[in-house]
Amino acid sequence: MEFSIGTCAKIDQVSMVKQAEDLGVTHFGVGEGPLLFSDPYQFLALAARETSTIQLGTMVTNPLTRIAPVTANSMATLNALAPGRTYLGIGTANNALRSMGNRTAKISELMHAIEVSRDLMAGKRTVHKWLGQDREVEFLDKESGFYNVKDHIPIWVAAGGPRGLAEAVKYADAIVYCLGPNPDMIKLIRTRLDEAVANAGRAPGSVKLVSLSWFYQLENGETWEDGVTNGFGSGPISSCITNSGLMNEHRDVLGDAIVDASITAAQQYLGDPTAADQPHYLDTWAKYLRGLDPKHRPIITKELVDYWCLYGSPAELREKTALMLESGVDITQVFLSNPFTAQRDIDNIGRSILAHA
């Protein structure tokens, strides 16, 4: 079983990557948030020295906080430290840019960054559009050990919506999508992904589907409420925000109840962006991944937790993971939204899921 773990980069917890590798986790990614977390590439470089088999990557970077040649260099440098076991996870961004008060990247900006990064990481010369100019770029010394452009670096694209999916499959080795253990939602995204791959003229199965779920193992006597409080916090609301537009287009497949619940939760969480009393963005993001804000607790219902989260007893976790794979997921992935409890969660994933795979 291919199983991926993501969390934020916390530089004094690099040892958790070796912990994950020893327990059978195949991929480990860390997010990028310049005002929020440790630098992902420094974290991954240290992790590369402590591990030998696990795949290491970003989850995810974006095309605006780092321009494409810088991203390509960072990945190719990591690939020199961990040859053949790196991957570039990239998307339009959420926390990295919104926490600085800026917009997320446009699809066109994302696609150009992917194309340039892909070519550079393969040792090719390509054209980079930057500062209003088109300029040829290429790594200038590929033989002296500065970076590794010989071993392929897969590209994982965090995509949402039909346009993003259609564009991403032109370049991606994998698509990352917010999904929980619901067969209807998984099969819908699997079908849309396969159609997009075919329309792009790529071979069937050439682009993997990577689910992104929120994880918590219930201990004896705990309920789903404990999963929210002690585990994934407001994570499922992120899945609602990401998917509400697409879900609204497929009410016939998914059902009105979960579509309406997801849209309502997203709207309640985001609030009215035109309100005069909006808090400063730095104050808002200061709470990110630092415990559950009590005002968000009523938004998170059991219906949403069941739909978007991989949680339950060890037996239920194994059953839900198997269901996701049977429904069309290629790589199961969880994001551990609380770095302070990540080591506990990794141990539970290894003992309860991977040890029985």
Side-chain angles (χ1 to χ4, degrees):
M1 179 192 297
E2 290 188 279
F3 198 103
S4 176
I5 287 177
T7 188
C8 66
K10 192 169 185 293
I11 201 64
D12 62 351
Q13 291 187 339
V14 174
S15 61
M16 74 172 72
V17 186
K18 176 60 174 171
Q19 174 196 7
E21 180 181 72
D22 290 343
L23 291 170
V25 176
T26 57
H27 299 73
F28 200 105
V30 287
E32 177 168 358
L35 303 184
L36 295 165
F37 320 135
S38 303
D39 180 83
Y41 293 103
Q42 295 184 52
F43 182 99
L44 293 169
L46 292 175
R49 289 300 180 94
E50 294 185 9
T51 57
S52 59
T53 60
I54 198 167
Q55 300 284 313
L56 304 169
T58 48
M59 188 183 165
V60 293
T61 188
N62 66 83
L64 297 186
T65 54
R66 303 173 197 261
I67 62 173
V70 173
T71 293
N73 181 286
S74 295
M75 290 306 308
T77 301
L78 181 64
N79 203 28
L81 293 174
R85 58 185 187 97
T86 65
Y87 63 95
L88 169 61
I90 188 168
T92 57
N94 178 34
N95 57 61
L97 290 162
R98 295 190 193 280
S99 62
M100 295 191 290
N102 295 115
R103 67 167 176 85
T104 57
K106 301 174 182 177
I107 294 294
S108 59
E109 293 169 331
L110 174 61
M111 292 307 117
H112 179 63
I114 292 173
E115 185 175 9
V116 172
S117 298
R118 177 196 62 177
D119 288 347
L120 288 174
M121 293 187 304
K124 299 178 181 178
R125 178 172 296 191
T126 190
V127 175
H128 181 224
K129 303 177 187 296
W130 187 46
L131 299 179
Q133 299 176 312
D134 293 2
R135 290 291 183 265
E136 291 185 331
V137 291
E138 179 183 11
F139 288 144
L140 297 179
D141 188 346
K142 306 180 189 69
E143 306 299 330
S144 299
F146 292 111
Y147 21 67
N148 175 4
V149 296
K150 295 179 180 178
D151 293 298
H152 174 64
I153 300 175
I155 298 175
W156 291 21
V157 182
R163 184 178 169 227
L165 194 63
E167 291 296 318
V169 297
K170 297 176 182 177
Y171 308 102
D173 296 279
I175 294 293
V176 180
Y177 218 96
C178 286
L179 294 167
N182 182 274
D184 292 337
M185 186 66 181
I186 294 172
K187 290 175 182 177
L188 171 64
I189 300 305
R190 178 83 254 179
T191 299
R192 293 189 69 110
L193 172 58
D194 291 343
E195 290 173 350
V197 168
N199 292 337
R202 299 186 63 182
S206 58
V207 182
K208 293 184 176 181
L209 177 58
V210 182
S211 61
L212 189 155
S213 304
W214 309 92
F215 177 86
Y216 184 71
Q217 178 174 302
L218 297 181
E219 301 303 330
N220 291 336
E222 288 190 320
T223 67
W224 69 272
E225 289 98 338
D226 296 302
V228 178
T229 304
N230 302 326
F232 35 74
S234 58
I237 307 302
S238 298
S239 299
C240 295
I241 294 170
T242 300
N243 283 303
S244 57
L246 180 139
M247 294 177 75
N248 195 43
E249 298 175 1
H250 295 280
R251 289 176 174 270
D252 57 329
V253 175
L254 304 175
D256 289 333
I258 190 61
V259 175
D260 289 338
S262 295
I263 292 174
T264 299
Q267 292 172 341
Q268 290 177 334
Y269 186 85
L270 294 173
D272 180 4
T274 64
D277 60 348
Q278 283 291 306
H280 193 282
Y281 56 86
L282 290 177
D283 294 331
T284 298
W285 286 90
K287 302 173 184 177
Y288 184 65
L289 297 189
R290 287 164 175 80
L292 178 65
D293 190 329
K295 72 179 182 180
H296 296 148
R297 183 63 189 81
I299 304 174
I300 306 169
T301 64
K302 186 176 188 299
E303 181 181 22
L304 296 177
V305 169
D306 287 347
Y307 203 84
W308 297 117
C309 301
L310 184 60
Y311 83 103
S313 67
E316 290 170 332
L317 290 172
R318 291 192 291 273
E319 180 181 344
K320 291 178 180 180
T321 301
L323 176 63
M324 295 178 74
L325 295 171
E326 291 167 3
S327 300
V329 168
D330 295 306
I331 301 176
T332 309
Q333 177 172 245
V334 297
F335 194 86
L336 305 180
S337 53
N338 187 345
F340 299 97
T341 57
Q343 291 173 308
R344 173 204 68 191
D345 294 333
I346 292 169
D347 186 57
N348 284 336
I349 289 166
R351 289 188 297 105
S352 299
I353 300 175
L354 298 178
H356 302 270

